[in-house]
Amino acid sequence: VADIGAGVAWTSAVMSLRPEIAKVYVVEPGKNRLNCAEAVAKHFGAPSEKLVFIDGTFEEPKVPEKVDIVSLCASIHHCWDEEMPKLFENIRNMLIKMNIINT
């Protein structure tokens, strides 16, 4: 999972508690928020080995691998109109391509 605009990472922490989620990339450009994220994750009992904290933005998320899910929980309203095309291009490029077979 890539949690873009994760804030203090409470959503990332909750997602990391799910056994089917192997890793959550916590992407946040705000230094103060990112500095609080580890403490918030610890408060929720999130497994630290599943969380990767990244100083990234909508335009440069810096997620090092493709993911199954991109979360924008309560963050997309911070994305400026001129950043939207790049954000959605990044999301398309970040997602693992799925082959869906109609039966």
Side-chain angles (χ1 to χ4, degrees), residues 2-6 25 27 57-58 61 63 70-73 75 87 91 94:
D3 191 5
I4 311 295
Y25 292 104
V27 181
T57 66
F58 293 123
V63 175
V70 173
S71 171
L72 296 162
C73 183
S75 69
L87 167 64
I91 291 170
M94 249 187 278

Side-chain angles (χ1 to χ4, degrees), residues 10-92:
W10 72 268
T11 303
S12 303
V14 171
M15 287 190 291
S16 76
L17 295 171
R18 300 292 309 165
E20 61 270 24
I21 294 180
K23 188 180 299 180
V24 180
Y25 292 104
V26 182
V27 181
E28 174 56 42
K31 306 288 186 264
N32 289 336
R33 289 184 183 108
L34 200 55
N35 287 339
C36 295
E38 286 188 55
V40 170
K42 187 174 182 178
H43 171 77
F44 279 96
S48 61
E49 69 276 3
K50 291 174 80 172
L51 296 169
V52 178
F53 299 94
I54 299 173
D55 177 9
T57 66
F58 293 123
E59 291 184 306
E60 290 186 50
K62 303 177 187 172
V63 175
E65 65 180 324
K66 292 192 178 282
V67 297
D68 294 304
I69 298 169
V70 173
S71 171
L72 296 162
C73 183
S75 69
I76 196 163
H77 67 278
H78 291 287
C79 189
W80 298 100
D81 289 345
E82 60 270 11
E83 296 172 324
M84 283 285 182
K86 185 63 177 171
L87 167 64
F88 287 115
E89 177 186 336
N90 287 335
I91 291 170
R92 276 190 299 277

